[in-house]
Amino acid sequence: MSEIERYIAPQAVVEAVKAMAAGPVTILAGGTDLTPQINEGRRKHAATLMNIQRLEGLKDISLVDGEIRIGTLVTVTEIRYNALLTESATILCDTANCFASEQIRNAATIGGNICNASPAGDMIIPLLVLGASVELTSWKDDALFVRREAMKDFFKSPGKTTRQDNELLTAVIFDKPSADFVGKFRKSGPRPALEISTVTVGIGGDLKDGVFKNVRVAFGAVGPTPMRGTATEAALEGQSLNKDVIQAATEAARKDATPIDDIRATTWYRDHLIGVFTEELLNNVC
Ligand SMILES: Cc1cc2nc3c(=O)[nH]c(=O)nc-3n(C[C@H](O)[C@H](O)[C@H](O)COP(=O)(O)OP(=O)(O)OC[C@H]3O[C@@H](n4cnc5c(N)ncnc54)[C@H](O)[C@@H]3O)c2cc1C
């Protein structure tokens, strides 16, 4: 394997994106995906390695003009214990609590989980349920250029997103959920955490007077990318969560998902789990 020829650790986003505009750069955040991928020969690195841990302004969780903004360098542990998220977007904290071990959670960043773009990336599921967008920053025409893209459109195939090589993911942003918002997450595996997901399901929406509205459903590890369950959402939108509606949603979830056989589970088992988890979460929503 080729050697790393240059190591940089900028402090300002502008320096980082200028370096990315100048030529190929491999970005290192917590390193919990990148390091094993390089060590095992599954990933090639560029001649320049850029450690982004020192970048200023990317480690905060804030509420501005009704939007919650999570900087790309916020760790899974910080999400788990954050007061604003605990109060208004508990589904993110619950998911963080099912993520790996304490040691990995302390290093793993939200941006790394998103940019690794695994179909089994856990933190992506609650973010899809919250209707989040990614913020991508680059250096263009001698100025900082910032664009947003809805996460539902961001993932293209395993490990691939619409992010261009010169774009740094700087934050993930979503509207603060309403007081009526309820969000639930379920991950497969005999242990609550330390499992690479074979199936994950996230469901959220506003529950008022027994009616479920603005529903979003997301599935992980049942297709080439993390995905929204549009048929499941349609089966639930504006409905009371009675037995018939839950059964219709469970059937729709099985149609939304396109699981494959792989080393961790068969198609049959994944299909079965999708139905079981969808039903279980909906029974727990009310
Ligand atoms: C033992 C173990 C257990 C794990 N368990 C889980 C689990 O339960 N659930 C789960 O989802 N994952 C799990 N993972 C995977 C990993 O921890 C997460 O995906 C983590 O969030 C990656 O974040 P990181 O900061 O370590 O990213 P890194 O490894 O530093 O980077 C990951 C990728 O994203 C790119 N990148 C990082 N930040 C940016 C940015 N700001 N802009 C552009 N590109 C960027 C990097 O270049 C790299 O390609 C586990 C890993 C290990 C080793």
Side-chain angles (χ1 to χ4, degrees), residues 20 26-37 43 52-53 72-73 76 98-101 104 107-116 120-123 163 167-170 187 193-197:
M20 293 170 80
T26 295
I27 296 172
L28 172 73
T32 61
D33 277 320
L34 188 69
T35 310
Q37 285 167 4
R43 161 98 192 246
I52 60 170
Q53 287 285 356
T72 188
L73 292 174
V76 174
C98 299
F99 190 106
S101 60
I104 298 290
T109 63
I110 188 78
N113 196 243
I114 296 168
C115 291
N116 190 55
D122 283 335
M123 300 310 297
R163 186 181 74 82
E167 289 181 316
L168 179 73
L169 188 142
T170 36
K187 172 174 173 173
L194 268 175
E195 294 286 338
I196 296 179
S197 303

mmCIF file of all heavy atoms in Angstrom, residues 20 26-37 43 52-53 72-73 76 98-101 104 107-116 120-123 163 167-170 187 193-197, ligand 1:
data_model
loop_
_atom_site.group_PDB
_atom_site.id
_atom_site.type_symbol
_atom_site.label_atom_id
_atom_site.label_comp_id
_atom_site.label_asym_id
_atom_site.label_seq_id
_atom_site.Cartn_x
_atom_site.Cartn_y
_atom_site.Cartn_z
ATOM 1 N N MET A 20 -8.909 20.548 0.485
ATOM 2 C CA MET A 20 -9.684 19.580 -0.309
ATOM 3 C C MET A 20 -9.813 20.043 -1.764
ATOM 4 O O MET A 20 -9.844 19.226 -2.682
ATOM 5 C CB MET A 20 -11.073 19.367 0.320
ATOM 6 C CG MET A 20 -10.998 18.670 1.677
ATOM 7 S SD MET A 20 -12.573 18.662 2.551
ATOM 8 C CE MET A 20 -13.420 17.306 1.756
ATOM 9 N N THR A 26 -7.747 12.346 2.221
ATOM 10 C CA THR A 26 -8.565 11.407 3.000
ATOM 11 C C THR A 26 -8.850 12.049 4.349
ATOM 12 O O THR A 26 -7.928 12.479 5.052
ATOM 13 C CB THR A 26 -7.837 10.056 3.186
ATOM 14 O OG1 THR A 26 -7.685 9.466 1.899
ATOM 15 C CG2 THR A 26 -8.632 9.109 4.070
ATOM 16 N N ILE A 27 -10.146 12.077 4.695
ATOM 17 C CA ILE A 27 -10.562 12.732 5.950
ATOM 18 C C ILE A 27 -10.599 11.722 7.075
ATOM 19 O O ILE A 27 -11.198 10.643 6.949
ATOM 20 C CB ILE A 27 -11.959 13.366 5.764
ATOM 21 C CG1 ILE A 27 -11.889 14.469 4.713
ATOM 22 C CG2 ILE A 27 -12.502 13.889 7.085
ATOM 23 C CD1 ILE A 27 -13.250 15.018 4.332
ATOM 24 N N LEU A 28 -9.977 12.098 8.188
ATOM 25 C CA LEU A 28 -9.988 11.271 9.396
ATOM 26 C C LEU A 28 -10.749 12.026 10.485
ATOM 27 O O LEU A 28 -10.384 13.150 10.830
ATOM 28 C CB LEU A 28 -8.550 11.012 9.862
ATOM 29 C CG LEU A 28 -8.383 10.317 11.210
ATOM 30 C CD1 LEU A 28 -8.751 8.841 11.108
ATOM 31 C CD2 LEU A 28 -6.955 10.467 11.714
ATOM 32 N N ALA A 29 -11.826 11.402 11.004
ATOM 33 C CA ALA A 29 -12.550 12.011 12.142
ATOM 34 C C ALA A 29 -12.213 11.164 13.367
ATOM 35 O O ALA A 29 -11.111 11.248 13.900
ATOM 36 C CB ALA A 29 -14.027 12.082 11.834
ATOM 37 N N GLY A 30 -13.125 10.295 13.810
ATOM 38 C CA GLY A 30 -12.821 9.424 14.951
ATOM 39 C C GLY A 30 -11.959 8.225 14.562
ATOM 40 O O GLY A 30 -11.333 7.584 15.408
ATOM 41 N N GLY A 31 -11.981 7.885 13.282
ATOM 42 C CA GLY A 31 -11.141 6.792 12.773
ATOM 43 C C GLY A 31 -11.687 5.393 13.027
ATOM 44 O O GLY A 31 -11.042 4.410 12.678
ATOM 45 N N THR A 32 -12.888 5.271 13.589
ATOM 46 C CA THR A 32 -13.385 3.928 13.961
ATOM 47 C C THR A 32 -13.851 3.119 12.753
ATOM 48 O O THR A 32 -13.910 1.891 12.828
ATOM 49 C CB THR A 32 -14.534 4.017 15.000
ATOM 50 O OG1 THR A 32 -15.624 4.742 14.417
ATOM 51 C CG2 THR A 32 -14.076 4.685 16.282
ATOM 52 N N ASP A 33 -14.160 3.779 11.647
ATOM 53 C CA ASP A 33 -14.393 3.078 10.377
ATOM 54 C C ASP A 33 -13.127 3.099 9.527
ATOM 55 O O ASP A 33 -12.708 2.076 8.995
ATOM 56 C CB ASP A 33 -15.525 3.747 9.562
ATOM 57 C CG ASP A 33 -16.907 3.298 9.989
ATOM 58 O OD1 ASP A 33 -17.079 2.090 10.266
ATOM 59 O OD2 ASP A 33 -17.808 4.133 10.031
ATOM 60 N N LEU A 34 -12.535 4.278 9.392
ATOM 61 C CA LEU A 34 -11.420 4.460 8.453
ATOM 62 C C LEU A 34 -10.221 3.573 8.811
ATOM 63 O O LEU A 34 -9.641 2.924 7.931
ATOM 64 C CB LEU A 34 -10.995 5.938 8.446
ATOM 65 C CG LEU A 34 -9.985 6.312 7.372
ATOM 66 C CD1 LEU A 34 -10.618 6.237 5.995
ATOM 67 C CD2 LEU A 34 -9.427 7.713 7.614
ATOM 68 N N THR A 35 -9.845 3.533 10.074
ATOM 69 C CA THR A 35 -8.627 2.811 10.464
ATOM 70 C C THR A 35 -8.740 1.314 10.160
ATOM 71 O O THR A 35 -7.864 0.779 9.469
ATOM 72 C CB THR A 35 -8.307 3.073 11.956
ATOM 73 O OG1 THR A 35 -8.354 4.469 12.162
ATOM 74 C CG2 THR A 35 -6.935 2.550 12.336
ATOM 75 N N PRO A 36 -9.801 0.618 10.606
ATOM 76 C CA PRO A 36 -9.876 -0.802 10.245
ATOM 77 C C PRO A 36 -10.003 -1.027 8.739
ATOM 78 O O PRO A 36 -9.441 -1.981 8.208
ATOM 79 C CB PRO A 36 -11.117 -1.323 10.986
ATOM 80 C CG PRO A 36 -11.809 -0.148 11.559
ATOM 81 C CD PRO A 36 -10.856 0.997 11.558
ATOM 82 N N GLN A 37 -10.690 -0.119 8.047
ATOM 83 C CA GLN A 37 -10.839 -0.299 6.583
ATOM 84 C C GLN A 37 -9.484 -0.216 5.897
ATOM 85 O O GLN A 37 -9.173 -1.014 5.008
ATOM 86 C CB GLN A 37 -11.785 0.766 6.015
ATOM 87 C CG GLN A 37 -13.239 0.508 6.334
ATOM 88 C CD GLN A 37 -14.138 1.710 6.048
ATOM 89 O OE1 GLN A 37 -13.696 2.734 5.538
ATOM 90 N NE2 GLN A 37 -15.413 1.589 6.386
ATOM 91 N N ARG A 43 -9.852 -0.282 1.949
ATOM 92 C CA ARG A 43 -9.971 1.117 1.543
ATOM 93 C C ARG A 43 -8.587 1.661 1.233
ATOM 94 O O ARG A 43 -7.645 1.397 1.986
ATOM 95 C CB ARG A 43 -10.621 1.865 2.722
ATOM 96 C CG ARG A 43 -10.458 3.351 2.762
ATOM 97 C CD ARG A 43 -11.674 4.043 2.210
ATOM 98 N NE ARG A 43 -11.395 5.452 2.001
ATOM 99 C CZ ARG A 43 -11.987 6.425 2.683
ATOM 100 N NH1 ARG A 43 -12.866 6.131 3.596
ATOM 101 N NH2 ARG A 43 -11.684 7.679 2.433
ATOM 102 N N ILE A 52 -9.538 15.978 11.030
ATOM 103 C CA ILE A 52 -10.437 17.141 11.194
ATOM 104 C C ILE A 52 -10.816 17.386 12.658
ATOM 105 O O ILE A 52 -11.635 18.260 12.951
ATOM 106 C CB ILE A 52 -11.712 17.007 10.315
ATOM 107 C CG1 ILE A 52 -12.521 15.754 10.672
ATOM 108 C CG2 ILE A 52 -11.353 17.037 8.842
ATOM 109 C CD1 ILE A 52 -13.899 15.718 10.007
ATOM 110 N N GLN A 53 -10.208 16.632 13.575
ATOM 111 C CA GLN A 53 -10.614 16.745 14.981
ATOM 112 C C GLN A 53 -10.368 18.128 15.588
ATOM 113 O O GLN A 53 -11.009 18.493 16.562
ATOM 114 C CB GLN A 53 -9.881 15.694 15.831
ATOM 115 C CG GLN A 53 -10.373 14.277 15.628
ATOM 116 C CD GLN A 53 -11.728 14.019 16.296
ATOM 117 O OE1 GLN A 53 -12.276 14.880 16.971
ATOM 118 N NE2 GLN A 53 -12.258 12.839 16.090
ATOM 119 N N THR A 72 -20.535 18.113 12.822
ATOM 120 C CA THR A 72 -20.094 16.800 12.334
ATOM 121 C C THR A 72 -19.209 16.062 13.334
ATOM 122 O O THR A 72 -19.172 14.829 13.349
ATOM 123 C CB THR A 72 -19.357 16.952 10.972
ATOM 124 O OG1 THR A 72 -19.114 15.660 10.443
ATOM 125 C CG2 THR A 72 -18.022 17.676 11.105
ATOM 126 N N LEU A 73 -18.496 16.803 14.211
ATOM 127 C CA LEU A 73 -17.560 16.151 15.132
ATOM 128 C C LEU A 73 -18.200 15.749 16.463
ATOM 129 O O LEU A 73 -17.511 15.228 17.349
ATOM 130 C CB LEU A 73 -16.352 17.062 15.390
ATOM 131 C CG LEU A 73 -15.443 17.261 14.165
ATOM 132 C CD1 LEU A 73 -14.354 18.300 14.459
ATOM 133 C CD2 LEU A 73 -14.795 15.942 13.743
ATOM 134 N N VAL A 76 -21.005 10.050 19.390
ATOM 135 C CA VAL A 76 -22.216 9.298 19.748
ATOM 136 C C VAL A 76 -22.488 9.427 21.245
ATOM 137 O O VAL A 76 -23.642 9.576 21.668
ATOM 138 C CB VAL A 76 -22.065 7.825 19.290
ATOM 139 C CG1 VAL A 76 -23.231 6.981 19.780
ATOM 140 C CG2 VAL A 76 -21.961 7.764 17.761
ATOM 141 N N CYS A 98 -27.742 2.229 21.725
ATOM 142 C CA CYS A 98 -27.643 0.879 21.119
ATOM 143 C C CYS A 98 -26.394 0.762 20.251
ATOM 144 O O CYS A 98 -26.272 -0.176 19.467
ATOM 145 C CB CYS A 98 -28.859 0.608 20.232
ATOM 146 S SG CYS A 98 -30.417 0.639 21.057
ATOM 147 N N PHE A 99 -25.515 1.736 20.322
ATOM 148 C CA PHE A 99 -24.387 1.845 19.378
ATOM 149 C C PHE A 99 -23.115 1.309 20.019
ATOM 150 O O PHE A 99 -22.653 1.833 21.037
ATOM 151 C CB PHE A 99 -24.235 3.331 19.041
ATOM 152 C CG PHE A 99 -23.309 3.664 17.919
ATOM 153 C CD1 PHE A 99 -23.802 4.053 16.684
ATOM 154 C CD2 PHE A 99 -21.934 3.636 18.104
ATOM 155 C CE1 PHE A 99 -22.951 4.405 15.655
ATOM 156 C CE2 PHE A 99 -21.080 3.973 17.075
ATOM 157 C CZ PHE A 99 -21.576 4.357 15.849
ATOM 158 N N ALA A 100 -22.555 0.266 19.461
ATOM 159 C CA ALA A 100 -21.212 -0.213 19.816
ATOM 160 C C ALA A 100 -20.963 -0.264 21.321
ATOM 161 O O ALA A 100 -21.865 -0.567 22.115
ATOM 162 C CB ALA A 100 -20.174 0.650 19.113
ATOM 163 N N SER A 101 -19.719 0.005 21.714
ATOM 164 C CA SER A 101 -19.316 0.015 23.129
ATOM 165 C C SER A 101 -19.051 1.459 23.558
ATOM 166 O O SER A 101 -18.976 2.349 22.714
ATOM 167 C CB SER A 101 -18.022 -0.783 23.277
ATOM 168 O OG SER A 101 -17.021 -0.160 22.479
ATOM 169 N N ILE A 104 -16.021 2.961 21.681
ATOM 170 C CA ILE A 104 -16.279 3.367 20.287
ATOM 171 C C ILE A 104 -17.185 4.598 20.264
ATOM 172 O O ILE A 104 -16.937 5.548 19.520
ATOM 173 C CB ILE A 104 -16.912 2.199 19.485
ATOM 174 C CG1 ILE A 104 -15.967 0.999 19.411
ATOM 175 C CG2 ILE A 104 -17.338 2.644 18.090
ATOM 176 C CD1 ILE A 104 -14.742 1.194 18.540
ATOM 177 N N ALA A 107 -15.403 7.871 20.543
ATOM 178 C CA ALA A 107 -14.587 8.323 19.402
ATOM 179 C C ALA A 107 -15.428 8.566 18.155
ATOM 180 O O ALA A 107 -15.142 9.473 17.368
ATOM 181 C CB ALA A 107 -13.513 7.280 19.098
ATOM 182 N N ALA A 108 -16.481 7.760 17.966
ATOM 183 C CA ALA A 108 -17.258 7.790 16.720
ATOM 184 C C ALA A 108 -18.020 9.109 16.590
ATOM 185 O O ALA A 108 -18.751 9.509 17.496
ATOM 186 C CB ALA A 108 -18.247 6.625 16.705
ATOM 187 N N THR A 109 -17.873 9.767 15.439
ATOM 188 C CA THR A 109 -18.592 11.025 15.220
ATOM 189 C C THR A 109 -19.851 10.782 14.380
ATOM 190 O O THR A 109 -19.932 9.809 13.631
ATOM 191 C CB THR A 109 -17.698 12.042 14.469
ATOM 192 O OG1 THR A 109 -17.391 11.513 13.166
ATOM 193 C CG2 THR A 109 -16.410 12.333 15.229
ATOM 194 N N ILE A 110 -20.779 11.719 14.516
ATOM 195 C CA ILE A 110 -22.018 11.612 13.729
ATOM 196 C C ILE A 110 -21.691 11.760 12.238
ATOM 197 O O ILE A 110 -22.224 11.025 11.394
ATOM 198 C CB ILE A 110 -23.066 12.666 14.199
ATOM 199 C CG1 ILE A 110 -24.415 12.454 13.543
ATOM 200 C CG2 ILE A 110 -22.603 14.094 13.967
ATOM 201 C CD1 ILE A 110 -25.223 11.364 14.110
ATOM 202 N N GLY A 111 -20.758 12.668 11.911
ATOM 203 C CA GLY A 111 -20.393 12.868 10.502
ATOM 204 C C GLY A 111 -19.735 11.647 9.895
ATOM 205 O O GLY A 111 -19.985 11.307 8.733
ATOM 206 N N GLY A 112 -18.907 10.965 10.688
ATOM 207 C CA GLY A 112 -18.261 9.748 10.195
ATOM 208 C C GLY A 112 -19.272 8.652 9.926
ATOM 209 O O GLY A 112 -19.178 7.929 8.929
ATOM 210 N N ASN A 113 -20.266 8.542 10.786
ATOM 211 C CA ASN A 113 -21.308 7.521 10.592
ATOM 212 C C ASN A 113 -22.088 7.794 9.302
ATOM 213 O O ASN A 113 -22.372 6.866 8.530
ATOM 214 C CB ASN A 113 -22.247 7.504 11.809
ATOM 215 C CG ASN A 113 -23.100 6.249 11.879
ATOM 216 O OD1 ASN A 113 -24.312 6.320 11.797
ATOM 217 N ND2 ASN A 113 -22.483 5.088 12.016
ATOM 218 N N ILE A 114 -22.377 9.073 9.048
ATOM 219 C CA ILE A 114 -23.133 9.435 7.840
ATOM 220 C C ILE A 114 -22.260 9.230 6.593
ATOM 221 O O ILE A 114 -22.691 8.609 5.616
ATOM 222 C CB ILE A 114 -23.622 10.905 7.932
ATOM 223 C CG1 ILE A 114 -24.617 11.066 9.085
ATOM 224 C CG2 ILE A 114 -24.235 11.355 6.605
ATOM 225 C CD1 ILE A 114 -24.938 12.513 9.429
ATOM 226 N N CYS A 115 -21.010 9.740 6.623
ATOM 227 C CA CYS A 115 -20.162 9.690 5.412
ATOM 228 C C CYS A 115 -19.668 8.284 5.109
ATOM 229 O O CYS A 115 -19.372 7.975 3.953
ATOM 230 C CB CYS A 115 -18.981 10.649 5.558
ATOM 231 S SG CYS A 115 -19.508 12.357 5.524
ATOM 232 N N ASN A 116 -19.596 7.419 6.089
ATOM 233 C CA ASN A 116 -19.227 6.025 5.809
ATOM 234 C C ASN A 116 -20.321 5.348 4.976
ATOM 235 O O ASN A 116 -20.073 4.409 4.233
ATOM 236 C CB ASN A 116 -18.998 5.270 7.120
ATOM 237 C CG ASN A 116 -18.394 3.908 6.883
ATOM 238 O OD1 ASN A 116 -17.349 3.787 6.239
ATOM 239 N ND2 ASN A 116 -19.054 2.866 7.365
ATOM 240 N N ALA A 120 -26.041 -0.191 7.158
ATOM 241 C CA ALA A 120 -26.313 -0.533 8.564
ATOM 242 C C ALA A 120 -25.884 0.577 9.526
ATOM 243 O O ALA A 120 -25.806 0.345 10.732
ATOM 244 C CB ALA A 120 -25.590 -1.840 8.917
ATOM 245 N N GLY A 121 -25.600 1.779 9.025
ATOM 246 C CA GLY A 121 -25.191 2.885 9.899
ATOM 247 C C GLY A 121 -26.341 3.288 10.816
ATOM 248 O O GLY A 121 -27.365 3.787 10.351
ATOM 249 N N ASP A 122 -26.164 3.079 12.108
ATOM 250 C CA ASP A 122 -27.299 3.220 13.030
ATOM 251 C C ASP A 122 -27.827 4.644 13.164
ATOM 252 O O ASP A 122 -29.042 4.854 13.189
ATOM 253 C CB ASP A 122 -26.897 2.715 14.422
ATOM 254 C CG ASP A 122 -26.886 1.201 14.491
ATOM 255 O OD1 ASP A 122 -27.609 0.566 13.702
ATOM 256 O OD2 ASP A 122 -26.150 0.651 15.335
ATOM 257 N N MET A 123 -26.909 5.648 13.287
ATOM 258 C CA MET A 123 -27.388 7.002 13.583
ATOM 259 C C MET A 123 -28.164 7.616 12.416
ATOM 260 O O MET A 123 -28.920 8.569 12.584
ATOM 261 C CB MET A 123 -26.202 7.923 13.948
ATOM 262 C CG MET A 123 -25.410 7.478 15.165
ATOM 263 S SD MET A 123 -26.399 7.113 16.632
ATOM 264 C CE MET A 123 -27.137 8.694 17.008
ATOM 265 N N ARG A 163 -22.045 13.340 -1.860
ATOM 266 C CA ARG A 163 -20.952 14.242 -1.452
ATOM 267 C C ARG A 163 -19.829 14.207 -2.482
ATOM 268 O O ARG A 163 -19.371 13.141 -2.867
ATOM 269 C CB ARG A 163 -20.416 13.816 -0.076
ATOM 270 C CG ARG A 163 -19.370 14.767 0.498
ATOM 271 C CD ARG A 163 -18.852 14.297 1.843
ATOM 272 N NE ARG A 163 -17.967 13.168 1.737
ATOM 273 C CZ ARG A 163 -16.664 13.242 1.428
ATOM 274 N NH1 ARG A 163 -16.095 14.414 1.220
ATOM 275 N NH2 ARG A 163 -15.932 12.151 1.352
ATOM 276 N N GLU A 167 -16.043 18.298 -0.866
ATOM 277 C CA GLU A 167 -17.026 18.766 0.120
ATOM 278 C C GLU A 167 -16.788 18.122 1.494
ATOM 279 O O GLU A 167 -16.684 16.890 1.600
ATOM 280 C CB GLU A 167 -18.446 18.422 -0.338
ATOM 281 C CG GLU A 167 -18.898 19.276 -1.528
ATOM 282 C CD GLU A 167 -20.323 18.951 -1.961
ATOM 283 O OE1 GLU A 167 -20.664 17.748 -2.049
ATOM 284 O OE2 GLU A 167 -21.088 19.886 -2.215
ATOM 285 N N LEU A 168 -16.785 18.987 2.495
ATOM 286 C CA LEU A 168 -16.669 18.540 3.885
ATOM 287 C C LEU A 168 -18.067 18.553 4.500
ATOM 288 O O LEU A 168 -18.779 19.563 4.388
ATOM 289 C CB LEU A 168 -15.771 19.519 4.659
ATOM 290 C CG LEU A 168 -15.537 19.242 6.136
ATOM 291 C CD1 LEU A 168 -14.590 18.036 6.309
ATOM 292 C CD2 LEU A 168 -14.931 20.465 6.817
ATOM 293 N N LEU A 169 -18.455 17.455 5.113
ATOM 294 C CA LEU A 169 -19.739 17.478 5.835
ATOM 295 C C LEU A 169 -19.507 18.272 7.111
ATOM 296 O O LEU A 169 -18.596 17.945 7.884
ATOM 297 C CB LEU A 169 -20.214 16.061 6.158
ATOM 298 C CG LEU A 169 -21.632 15.982 6.726
ATOM 299 C CD1 LEU A 169 -22.348 14.771 6.174
ATOM 300 C CD2 LEU A 169 -21.640 15.929 8.234
ATOM 301 N N THR A 170 -20.246 19.361 7.297
ATOM 302 C CA THR A 170 -19.999 20.207 8.467
ATOM 303 C C THR A 170 -21.069 20.051 9.548
ATOM 304 O O THR A 170 -20.791 20.279 10.720
ATOM 305 C CB THR A 170 -19.856 21.697 8.057
ATOM 306 O OG1 THR A 170 -20.753 21.996 6.978
ATOM 307 C CG2 THR A 170 -18.446 21.993 7.609
ATOM 308 N N LYS A 187 -33.269 -2.082 16.979
ATOM 309 C CA LYS A 187 -32.121 -2.686 16.290
ATOM 310 C C LYS A 187 -32.089 -4.163 16.623
ATOM 311 O O LYS A 187 -32.363 -4.553 17.755
ATOM 312 C CB LYS A 187 -30.863 -1.974 16.791
ATOM 313 C CG LYS A 187 -29.542 -2.566 16.363
ATOM 314 C CD LYS A 187 -28.402 -1.647 16.816
ATOM 315 C CE LYS A 187 -27.051 -2.286 16.572
ATOM 316 N NZ LYS A 187 -25.945 -1.369 16.833
ATOM 317 N N ALA A 193 -26.508 -3.534 22.343
ATOM 318 C CA ALA A 193 -25.533 -2.793 21.530
ATOM 319 C C ALA A 193 -24.441 -3.773 21.110
ATOM 320 O O ALA A 193 -24.598 -4.977 21.265
ATOM 321 C CB ALA A 193 -24.965 -1.631 22.335
ATOM 322 N N LEU A 194 -23.331 -3.262 20.572
ATOM 323 C CA LEU A 194 -22.208 -4.087 20.130
ATOM 324 C C LEU A 194 -22.584 -5.114 19.077
ATOM 325 O O LEU A 194 -21.992 -6.173 18.999
ATOM 326 C CB LEU A 194 -21.545 -4.802 21.331
ATOM 327 C CG LEU A 194 -20.387 -4.042 21.955
ATOM 328 C CD1 LEU A 194 -19.871 -4.757 23.191
ATOM 329 C CD2 LEU A 194 -19.261 -3.818 20.965
ATOM 330 N N GLU A 195 -23.617 -4.815 18.316
ATOM 331 C CA GLU A 195 -23.994 -5.674 17.193
ATOM 332 C C GLU A 195 -23.944 -4.819 15.940
ATOM 333 O O GLU A 195 -24.417 -3.690 15.950
ATOM 334 C CB GLU A 195 -25.445 -6.162 17.341
ATOM 335 C CG GLU A 195 -25.700 -7.083 18.495
ATOM 336 C CD GLU A 195 -25.143 -8.471 18.257
ATOM 337 O OE1 GLU A 195 -24.944 -8.824 17.076
ATOM 338 O OE2 GLU A 195 -24.891 -9.178 19.232
ATOM 339 N N ILE A 196 -23.405 -5.364 14.839
ATOM 340 C CA ILE A 196 -23.618 -4.690 13.559
ATOM 341 C C ILE A 196 -25.042 -5.056 13.166
ATOM 342 O O ILE A 196 -25.420 -6.233 13.179
ATOM 343 C CB ILE A 196 -22.606 -5.160 12.506
ATOM 344 C CG1 ILE A 196 -21.199 -4.753 12.947
ATOM 345 C CG2 ILE A 196 -22.938 -4.530 11.138
ATOM 346 C CD1 ILE A 196 -20.102 -5.180 12.016
ATOM 347 N N SER A 197 -25.829 -4.061 12.829
ATOM 348 C CA SER A 197 -27.265 -4.300 12.656
ATOM 349 C C SER A 197 -27.539 -5.275 11.524
ATOM 350 O O SER A 197 -26.965 -5.156 10.444
ATOM 351 C CB SER A 197 -27.962 -2.981 12.358
ATOM 352 O OG SER A 197 -27.692 -2.084 13.386
HETATM 353 C C1 LIG B 1 -15.974 -2.244 17.242
HETATM 354 C C2 LIG B 1 -16.829 -1.337 16.396
HETATM 355 C C3 LIG B 1 -18.195 -1.299 16.635
HETATM 356 C C4 LIG B 1 -19.021 -0.496 15.845
HETATM 357 N N1 LIG B 1 -20.359 -0.486 16.116
HETATM 358 C C5 LIG B 1 -21.175 0.297 15.364
HETATM 359 C C6 LIG B 1 -22.583 0.333 15.641
HETATM 360 O O1 LIG B 1 -23.096 -0.290 16.574
HETATM 361 N N2 LIG B 1 -23.369 1.081 14.813
HETATM 362 C C7 LIG B 1 -22.846 1.810 13.769
HETATM 363 O O2 LIG B 1 -23.598 2.479 13.063
HETATM 364 N N3 LIG B 1 -21.507 1.822 13.525
HETATM 365 C C8 LIG B 1 -20.670 1.088 14.283
HETATM 366 N N4 LIG B 1 -19.311 1.080 14.028
HETATM 367 C C9 LIG B 1 -18.797 1.911 12.910
HETATM 368 C C10 LIG B 1 -18.252 3.315 13.323
HETATM 369 O O3 LIG B 1 -17.931 3.387 14.687
HETATM 370 C C11 LIG B 1 -19.253 4.452 12.993
HETATM 371 O O4 LIG B 1 -19.662 4.424 11.649
HETATM 372 C C12 LIG B 1 -18.700 5.851 13.354
HETATM 373 O O5 LIG B 1 -19.750 6.756 13.561
HETATM 374 C C13 LIG B 1 -17.736 6.449 12.323
HETATM 375 O O6 LIG B 1 -17.327 7.716 12.785
HETATM 376 P P1 LIG B 1 -15.789 8.115 12.855
HETATM 377 O O7 LIG B 1 -15.729 9.493 13.422
HETATM 378 O O8 LIG B 1 -14.993 7.089 13.567
HETATM 379 O O9 LIG B 1 -15.458 8.135 11.299
HETATM 380 P P2 LIG B 1 -14.075 7.866 10.531
HETATM 381 O O10 LIG B 1 -13.703 6.441 10.629
HETATM 382 O O11 LIG B 1 -13.037 8.871 10.913
HETATM 383 O O12 LIG B 1 -14.593 8.214 9.053
HETATM 384 C C14 LIG B 1 -15.561 7.415 8.401
HETATM 385 C C15 LIG B 1 -15.679 7.862 6.940
HETATM 386 O O13 LIG B 1 -16.280 9.131 6.844
HETATM 387 C C16 LIG B 1 -15.399 10.081 6.240
HETATM 388 N N5 LIG B 1 -15.625 11.331 6.986
HETATM 389 C C17 LIG B 1 -15.623 11.475 8.336
HETATM 390 N N6 LIG B 1 -15.997 12.711 8.668
HETATM 391 C C18 LIG B 1 -16.236 13.377 7.510
HETATM 392 C C19 LIG B 1 -16.662 14.706 7.210
HETATM 393 N N7 LIG B 1 -16.926 15.612 8.154
HETATM 394 N N8 LIG B 1 -16.828 15.050 5.908
HETATM 395 C C20 LIG B 1 -16.571 14.136 4.912
HETATM 396 N N9 LIG B 1 -16.171 12.873 5.143
HETATM 397 C C21 LIG B 1 -16.003 12.499 6.436
HETATM 398 C C22 LIG B 1 -14.006 9.486 6.385
HETATM 399 O O14 LIG B 1 -13.116 9.927 5.379
HETATM 400 C C23 LIG B 1 -14.332 7.997 6.260
HETATM 401 O O15 LIG B 1 -14.498 7.662 4.895
HETATM 402 C C24 LIG B 1 -18.457 0.295 14.807
HETATM 403 C C25 LIG B 1 -17.059 0.288 14.578
HETATM 404 C C26 LIG B 1 -16.263 -0.522 15.356
HETATM 405 C C27 LIG B 1 -14.770 -0.528 15.108
#
